[in-house]
Amino acid sequence: MAATFRRRLQRGAASTAVAALVLAALTASQAPGATGDAAAKRQTAPPPADVPIDGGSGYYTDLPPLNSPVPPHGSDHNGQGPATGRGPAEAGLPATVLAAYKKAASTIGTDDPECRLPWQLLAGIGKVESGQARGGAVDAEGTTLQPILGPQLNGRGFARITDTDNGRYDGDLTHDRAVGPMQFIPSTWSNGGPDGTGWGADGNGDGKKDPHNVFDAALAAGGYLCAGGRDLTAQDDLDRAILGYNHSEEYLRTVLSWYAFYRNGTHEVPDGKGVLPVHRDAGRHDDNGGRSEDRRQHGHGGKPDKSPRPGGSGKPGKGHKPGKGQQHDPGKPGRPDGTDPTPGGTEPPGQKPTPTPEPPTGPAHPTALVRVGDKDLSTTAGTEFATPPQVRAQDTEGKAVAGAPVRFTLPAATDARFPGDATAVTVKTDKNGLATAPTLRAGDRTGAFRIRVTTVAHTAPAVEVGATVKARPAPKADKLARTSDKELTATAGKAFAEDAVEIKATYQDKIAAGVAVTATMVTDDPKQPVENDKGPYFKDPEATGAAKHKPVRTLTGLTTDADGLLKLPKIYTDAHPGTFLLRLTTADGAVLTVKLKVAAATGS
């Protein structure tokens, strides 16, 4: 159901560990919110495909009719013209719901044109998730007449997600439920986005973000589908977006079938007159032992919705029954182009048999990923790794698998990034089965981390590539020089001029930034100068009380700036006149000796 988690849990498989994973993922910053800054969020990685966003709730499995919709003249055949008229019942989309899908796609098309989101994809997902908001049972503003609720996510056949919204969206004070036409979990709607504000979107401009409003829900769903810089005209991006919504191959085929069906033509029908699907994903139970489809007809508080079903018979729980030739076996999903073999092997009278097209062929699914190279990657902070992460995809016979999408994901423990500041990238294997990640650049954070590599279809066990970021080597300086040749003088008991001593560090005649320098007042012993116990001195800048006036004749921790310059702290003098020496040194052996002349005080 809506957009934030993805792998369906097997019935009865919910556990404490799974619940913890779901709760952690629910509150993580993983998916983009509403539009407006959609383009800026395209690099945000979508939620991981191995965590269910809906807690394992069921979905409608009805498939499109065999005959493609052929709306009458003036209807919306290509998704561009007016959506009016009559055609096959399943091609009719409720007016307000249709308007919501088109408005969401238009808004995202302006904010994030590179995604190329078609409104028919939103329609395909809306059909599977809620039967187009129960056949268009919405008011004039697009809000559902009755809440559309998923089963209670209490760990009994589903993930366990305790209440996160105080019942605000789902009316449940103990656990969360997927809500609205696009089935968002409350926490993903309100605070599960990349910036902590959640997916919630205001699609109808009323200043509110309501998951029960089809305009708001459609815009939020579109934002998810475009997450991670996807281009939905690319088949792998399209598949990944749908699987991210619900990680089920049957779900993918079902949505693609409706998507293709709607692209072949739709027409508008009045709100409440849309065809309501009747078949649901089997094996899903709610907390009262009933099927999940029964729970979906409940309003707040779990009370059955006894109002006539839109497009149905007018009896509670009875949905529309498609006409002859339009019913599908939910166990036999249609093809992505929306077609199916004719039931019973017959064709409508007067038509020639249509050859059954061959199933589409694609790259084989790899069963194993193998690291390339036996050494971990290594670089210094702020630089690029010389060797990019690389794996080989192979089948059960050890043969290379070409064209398989492989995903490289960085852990949160590192600030290394792929191009575009991305923390995850997907690439396809080449003809030799090699998947090579783009250039990886280290940040400032040092230490070891592991890069997780998976197949997008989760057909092979994940592997990890080790990487280490080492600290930058200490800056070097082979020469220190004063920036002024002015004589340095002061009177005993007084201080030298502010910033009297400024030096410049260089290494091989180039600016040496960040070089550590030690400054020491030394004796004039030419053989072995040592720290002087009289004459000019510094004060400890960090000392307090009486200690801050105590003479300090050696300063460490001084560092040259970005231009290789260093201004020494203020230099004070005691009562001793004479010529004194200030010695400046670096760890690399650069030395500079500066003369400090102290004149006797007047009258001494």
Side-chain angles (χ1 to χ4, degrees), residues 25-261:
L26 272 170
T27 56
S29 299
Q30 301 178 43
T35 56
D37 57 347
K41 294 182 178 180
R42 282 180 59 77
Q43 292 300 333
T44 303
D50 59 348
V51 184
I53 174 176
D54 61 355
S57 299
Y59 55 86
Y60 287 111
T61 59
D62 296 46
L63 292 171
L66 297 176
N67 53 318
S68 296
V70 183
H73 178 70
S75 62
D76 187 18
H77 182 70
N78 295 314
Q80 303 297 327
T84 59
R86 295 177 59 83
E90 289 82 356
L93 292 173
T96 300
V97 176
L98 176 60
Y101 295 149
K102 289 186 175 182
K103 180 174 174 54
S106 175
T107 300
I108 292 178
T110 300
D111 293 338
D112 190 5
E114 295 180 8
C115 175
R116 300 175 177 86
L117 171 68
W119 67 261
Q120 293 92 339
L121 178 58
L122 293 173
I125 291 175
K127 179 73 171 182
V128 174
E129 294 293 340
S130 68
Q132 310 298 14
R134 290 184 182 156
V138 298
D139 62 19
E141 302 301 321
T143 302
T144 58
L145 301 179
Q146 294 286 339
I148 301 176
L149 303 177
Q152 189 180 66
L153 301 178
N154 56 12
R156 303 174 191 173
F158 309 101
R160 178 179 174 82
I161 304 176
T162 54
D163 178 53
T164 61
D165 66 333
N166 292 320
R168 175 183 178 186
Y169 297 121
D170 56 11
D172 195 320
L173 296 176
T174 61
H175 297 83
D176 270 354
R177 300 169 183 260
V179 298
M182 290 300 197
Q183 291 288 276
F184 277 87
I185 293 175
S187 57
T188 71
W189 182 268
S190 59
N191 59 20
D195 54 2
T197 59
W199 284 74
D202 179 12
N204 60 356
D206 63 357
K208 297 183 293 185
K209 299 177 181 180
D210 182 5
H212 297 285
N213 182 278
V214 69
F215 286 94
D216 296 356
L219 185 56
Y224 166 73
L225 294 169
C226 290
R230 291 185 182 122
D231 175 0
L232 297 180
T233 62
Q235 190 63 47
D236 58 341
D237 277 3
L238 176 62
D239 291 352
R240 190 158 56 248
I242 298 171
L243 287 171
Y245 214 100
N246 186 316
H247 201 265
S248 158
E249 291 296 330
E250 181 186 0
Y251 181 90
L252 171 65
R253 291 192 295 269
T254 306
V255 170
L256 285 175
S257 295
W258 283 107
Y259 171 44
F261 179 78

Side-chain angles (χ1 to χ4, degrees), residues 264-301:
N264 284 331
T266 60
H267 59 276
E268 180 182 296
V269 298
D271 289 342
K273 299 297 183 180
V275 173
L276 192 67
V278 295
H279 296 95
R280 276 195 176 276
D281 185 19
R284 304 293 173 184
H285 295 76
D286 64 21
D287 56 314
N288 292 322
R291 292 288 182 181
S292 60
E293 56 264 39
D294 298 328
R295 173 64 66 184
R296 285 297 182 84
Q297 309 314 320
H298 291 181
H300 286 290

Side-chain angles (χ1 to χ4, degrees), residues 67 171 180 191 197 262 271 277 307 337 344 385 522-523 547 554 563 568 577 601:
N67 53 318
N191 59 20
T197 59
Y262 290 139
D271 289 342
S307 59
D337 62 359
F385 285 85
V522 297
T523 63
T554 298
D563 297 318
L568 267 62

Side-chain angles (χ1 to χ4, degrees), residues 360-400:
T361 59
H365 291 303
T367 58
L369 295 175
V370 181
R371 280 190 53 179
V372 176
D374 55 0
K375 293 183 178 180
D376 286 350
L377 310 179
S378 180
T379 193
T380 55
T383 64
E384 295 178 349
F385 285 85
T387 304
Q390 188 179 57
V391 298
R392 182 176 186 267
Q394 58 190 40
D395 59 19
T396 54
E397 298 179 355
K399 296 181 180 179

